[in-house]
């Protein structure tokens, strides 16, 4: 049983190998159509020959029919001549008999020619059917070839696209995008933190400046110094 299974596996492998190594389906189909057209040419040639034989047999039927009628008429003329006394009765009978024999011979040939013609006509009908079948097959496969060409183009394009897609490291790309997204989040958070620090420092300075008016205090101090130099005493509250 194991041996049979092994043989079956080998057979499967051979079949797949044969399929993988098949020739281009377009070229194979085109070759098949060319073969059918060659068969059509041969069939048309054979059909013409058989039709020619049928026509010849038909002509022979008419020819032997006319010959038989001719000999029959000659036999009658000979007998009439003897009847008038223009020929010996014995000689007339002999010649009339020979004419009638020729007539029967011609009728035999006519019968044979009729049989040949009937046979040839049957062959013509059969061969015309074969020719028509080949023509229909050629037309069918020429249309199939057009469709096949389109399908092959689509298949090639799809295969190429899928092949390119297969080479793309989707997971790696997504991972990279996620890292970039996280990095942007980090940069945004850092910018916000610096902003808060800047705002915090600015607020303290503002509070200090509001609490102590440095310019006014300095101006008051300068005023007191000038009055002291001039001997002007400041009024007391």
């Amino acid at each position: 049983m194991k041996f049979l299974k092994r043989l079956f596996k080998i057979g499967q492998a051979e079949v797949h190998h044969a399929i993988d190594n098949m020739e281009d389906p377009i070229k194979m189909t085109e070759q098949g159509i060319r073969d059918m057209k060659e068969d059509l040419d041969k069939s048309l040639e054979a059909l013409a020959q058989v039709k020619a034989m049928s026509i010849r047999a038909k002509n022979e039927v008419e020819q032997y029919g006319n010959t038989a009628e001719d000999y029959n008429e000659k036999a009658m003329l000979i007998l009439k001549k003897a009847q008038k006394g223009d020929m010996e009765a014995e000689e007339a009978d002999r010649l009339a008999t020979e004419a009638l024999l020729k007539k029967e011979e011609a009728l035999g040939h006519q019968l044979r020619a009729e049989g040949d013609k009937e046979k040839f006509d049957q062959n013509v009908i059969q061969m015309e059917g074969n020719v028509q079948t080949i023509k229909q097959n050629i037309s069918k496969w020429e249309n199939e070839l057009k469709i096949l060409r389109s399908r092959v183009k689509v298949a090639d394009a799809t295969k190429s696209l899928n092949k390119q897609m297969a080479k793309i490291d989707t997971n790696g790309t997504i991972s990279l995008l996620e890292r970039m997204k996280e990095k942007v989040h980090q940069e945004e958070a850092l910018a916000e933190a610096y902003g808060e620090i800047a705002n915090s420092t600015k607020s303290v300075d503002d509070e200090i400046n509001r609490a102590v008016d440095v310019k006014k205090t300095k101006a008051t101090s300068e005023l007191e110094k000038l009055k002291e130099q001039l001997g002007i005493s400041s009024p007391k509250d």
Side-chain angles (χ1 to χ4, degrees):
M1 182 63 69
K2 291 182 179 179
F3 177 71
L4 291 177
K5 288 183 178 179
R6 186 166 179 270
L7 284 179
F8 178 72
K9 291 293 185 184
I10 293 173
Q12 281 185 322
E14 290 295 331
V15 169
H16 291 306
H17 178 73
I19 292 174
D20 291 338
N21 288 278
M22 281 180 64
E23 296 185 37
D24 186 344
I26 298 295
K27 292 181 179 178
M28 292 291 290
T29 304
E30 289 174 341
Q31 183 59 48
I33 293 174
R34 284 194 293 270
D35 292 341
M36 282 192 288
K37 287 184 176 180
E38 288 180 3
D39 292 339
L40 177 61
D41 290 340
K42 293 177 181 178
S43 297
L44 288 172
E45 182 179 355
L47 176 60
Q49 292 176 352
V50 174
K51 279 190 173 184
M53 288 187 285
S54 175
I55 293 172
R56 181 177 178 181
K58 177 184 176 182
N59 293 336
E60 287 181 347
V61 169
E62 295 178 357
Q63 178 183 348
Y64 287 123
N66 292 333
T67 300
E69 291 179 3
D70 184 57
Y71 278 116
N72 185 71
E73 186 177 353
K74 287 178 179 179
M76 291 178 63
L77 291 174
I78 291 171
L79 291 176
K80 287 181 179 180
K81 193 172 183 179
Q83 187 179 16
K84 293 179 180 179
D86 296 336
M87 181 181 291
E88 293 291 334
E90 184 177 350
E91 181 65 12
D93 289 346
R94 185 182 70 80
L95 291 176
T97 301
E98 291 293 334
L100 292 175
L101 288 174
K102 292 287 185 180
K103 171 190 173 183
E104 291 300 322
E105 182 181 354
L107 290 174
H109 288 307
Q110 184 186 38
L111 185 61
R112 174 192 56 78
E114 288 175 348
D116 290 342
K117 183 179 183 306
E118 183 178 356
K119 180 179 66 176
F120 293 144
D121 288 344
Q122 290 176 353
N123 291 336
V124 166
I125 293 173
Q126 182 179 1
M127 294 178 73
E128 284 179 340
N130 293 338
V131 166
Q132 187 63 28
T133 299
I134 294 174
K135 286 182 177 179
Q136 290 174 350
N137 285 332
I138 290 174
S139 177
K140 170 189 173 183
W141 282 104
E142 284 179 337
N143 291 330
E144 289 286 344
L145 180 59
K146 294 178 183 177
I147 297 173
L148 191 59
R149 285 196 179 108
S150 299
R151 291 177 61 187
V152 167
K153 287 182 180 178
V154 172
D156 287 343
T158 304
K159 180 177 70 176
S160 178
L161 177 60
N162 289 340
K163 187 176 180 180
Q164 292 297 326
M165 292 297 294
K167 293 180 179 179
I168 297 176
D169 184 6
T170 305
N171 293 330
T173 303
I174 293 176
S175 178
L176 175 62
L177 293 175
E178 290 293 339
R179 289 199 302 271
M180 293 300 101
K181 181 180 178 182
E182 182 63 26
K183 186 172 180 62
V184 170
H185 287 327
Q186 290 178 357
E187 293 294 329
E188 289 175 345
L190 185 60
E192 185 176 351
Y194 278 122
E196 289 180 356
I197 292 172
N199 290 332
S200 175
T201 303
K202 185 177 180 181
S203 297
V204 170
D205 290 337
D206 289 342
E207 289 177 358
I208 293 172
N209 291 331
R210 283 196 300 270
V212 180
D213 190 347
V214 176
K215 291 182 179 181
K216 185 176 181 181
T217 302
K218 186 176 180 181
T220 302
S221 177
E222 291 295 327
L223 178 62
E224 290 297 329
K225 287 180 179 180
L226 288 174
K227 285 182 176 183
E228 185 177 352
Q229 291 176 1
L230 295 173
I232 300 173
S233 55
S234 298
K236 297 183 178 179
D237 296 333

